[in-house]
Amino acid sequence: MADFPEVRGQQAAHSNVPAIAEQAVSELNLILVGPPGAGKGTQAEKLTEDFGLPYYATGNILRDAVAQGTELGKKAKEYMDAGDLVPDEVIIGVILEALASDEAAEGFLLDGFPRTVPQADALGAALQDVGRKISAVLLIDVPDEVIVKRLSGRRVSRAGRVYHVDFDPPKQEGRCDLDGSELIQRDDDKPETIRKRLAVYHDQTEPLVDYYEGRNLLRRFDGTRTPTEVHDHIRATVATLRLEDEL
Ligand code: AP5
Ligand code: MG
C-alpha cells in the first residue's frame, strides 16, 4: 500500500480543563458521525483535549493531500469538488494504516470515517483482527435546513480549526485565534455543493445509523444545541462509557 506521509493524528493541545485521560486508562475508540456541518470537527477539537486521543478526520487528511498535490490528493480532488465521496478503496487503506500506527494503539477519534457500509465493514474487520473494538459511535443530529445556514458562514484556518462568522467568530475577523493564519471558505461550502453533500449523506452514510444501532454502539446527540451544550452531553456520555468499561 502507498505510504501517505500526510496522515498524522492531530494530538490534543494542552488546556486548563482537567484531562480525563489522566484518570483512567481503558482504550477509547470513538467515531463521530453526522451530516455535513453537524459540528463533527467542532466537537472533535474539544474531545481530543478531554480524552487525549489522536484525531483522524478524513476530510482534513484529503484536503491536505489536495493542497500538497500528492497521489492521494490527485485521486480525491474531483470527487470532493463535486460533493461526492471518494471511492472506498482510496480512503479505507489510508485510515487502516493510520489506526495501525503506534500513536493510535491506545485509542482514537475518527471524524468522517466510516461513511459507507463497506467502509464500516472494513473498519470492523480490521479492528477485530487485532482484538480491538469500537467503543461508541457518536451521532450528531442536525436537520438539513440548519446545515445550509451553518456551512455558508463557516470559515476554516489552514490547520483546519473551524469558526463561524456568527456562531463562533474568531477574536480578530478573518484570522485564526491559534496561529493567526488567514481564514478561508472551503471550496465545497457553495450552496449547490452543500445540497449535493446532504443528498450523498442521506443516501450513503445515513444507513450507518441503523448499522451501528443494531450493534448497540450508537449514541445520539442533538446538534442544534449550542456547541458547549453538545460538548457537555458527549463528554458525559463518553466518560460514563469508559467508567462502565472499567467496572
Ligand atoms: P468532511 O470534511 O468530512 O466534510 P463533512 O462530513 O461534509 O463535514 P463538515 O466538515 O462539512 O462538517 P462538520 O460536521 O465537521 O461541521 P463543523 O464542525 O465544521 O469531508 C469533505 C469531503 O471529503 C467529502 O464530501 C468527501 O468528498 C471526502 N471524504 C471525507 N471522508 C470521506 C470518506 N470516509 N469516504 C469518502 N469520501 C470522504 O461545523 C460547521 C459549521 O457550523 C462551523 O462554522 C461551526 O463553527 C458551526 N457550528 C458547529 N457546531 C455548531 C452548533 N452547535 N451551533 C451553531 N453552529 C455550529
Ligand atoms: Mg469537518
Side-chain angles (χ1 to χ4, degrees):
M1 182 176 41
D3 180 30
F4 296 112
E6 63 271 34
V7 179
R8 287 181 301 273
Q10 297 163 18
Q11 273 291 3
H14 291 290
S15 83
N16 294 327
V17 180
I20 295 171
E22 286 168 13
Q23 299 162 25
V25 287
S26 76
E27 185 174 319
L28 268 183
N29 300 325
L30 300 174
I31 297 174
L32 280 165
V33 176
K40 301 181 297 291
T42 302
Q43 294 303 323
E45 194 190 323
K46 301 170 194 291
L47 294 170
T48 51
E49 277 190 19
D50 293 337
F51 297 102
L53 297 171
Y55 170 48
Y56 304 102
T58 38
N60 293 355
I61 291 167
L62 291 169
R63 277 185 292 279
D64 281 353
V66 170
Q68 289 167 23
T70 64
E71 185 193 340
L72 172 64
K74 284 180 199 147
K75 285 183 190 158
K77 184 174 182 347
E78 195 185 316
Y79 297 99
M80 295 177 78
D81 286 348
D84 278 319
L85 299 184
V86 306
D88 287 336
E89 63 272 19
V90 171
I91 194 72
I92 286 173
V94 173
I95 283 298
L96 296 191
E97 186 174 296
L99 297 187
S101 68
D102 288 350
E103 177 188 73
E106 289 172 14
F108 54 79
L109 177 64
L110 286 176
D111 163 0
F113 185 96
R115 228 167 167 116
T116 63
V117 169
Q119 290 180 20
D121 285 341
L123 175 64
L127 290 175
Q128 195 176 18
D129 278 354
V130 292
R132 300 176 72 180
K133 59 185 171 55
I134 296 164
S135 309
V137 177
L138 312 168
L139 170 66
I140 307 180
D141 244 339
V142 178
D144 288 8
E145 57 274 15
V146 178
I147 302 277
V148 179
K149 195 182 282 179
R150 276 197 193 173
L151 288 184
S152 49
R154 172 164 60 185
R155 300 292 180 272
V156 291
S157 75
R158 191 186 302 264
R161 166 72 162 89
V162 181
Y163 297 87
H164 192 282
V165 290
D166 299 317
F167 308 134
D168 185 14
K171 294 191 180 91
Q172 186 193 344
E173 194 183 330
R175 294 275 157 199
C176 177
D177 294 349
L178 301 181
D179 61 17
S181 66
E182 188 188 359
L183 300 181
I184 55 156
Q185 205 163 9
R186 264 172 50 176
D187 289 342
D188 60 352
D189 278 349
K190 300 185 208 96
E192 65 278 15
T193 319
I194 295 170
R195 278 191 285 277
K196 176 69 191 293
R197 286 161 60 204
L198 276 169
V200 167
Y201 173 79
H202 291 306
D203 185 39
Q204 299 193 52
T205 307
E206 217 165 25
L208 294 182
V209 172
D210 283 348
Y211 181 101
Y212 285 122
E213 202 148 45
R215 288 161 176 75
N216 201 24
L217 288 170
L218 196 81
R219 301 290 180 275
R220 286 175 190 267
F221 301 91
D222 177 0
T224 64
R225 313 289 286 267
T226 66
T228 305
E229 286 171 330
V230 178
H231 172 226
D232 288 345
H233 291 163
I234 298 180
R235 184 164 72 156
T237 298
V238 173
T240 305
L241 275 175
R242 176 135 78 177
L243 281 176
E244 284 170 0
D245 205 38
E246 283 171 2
L247 292 177

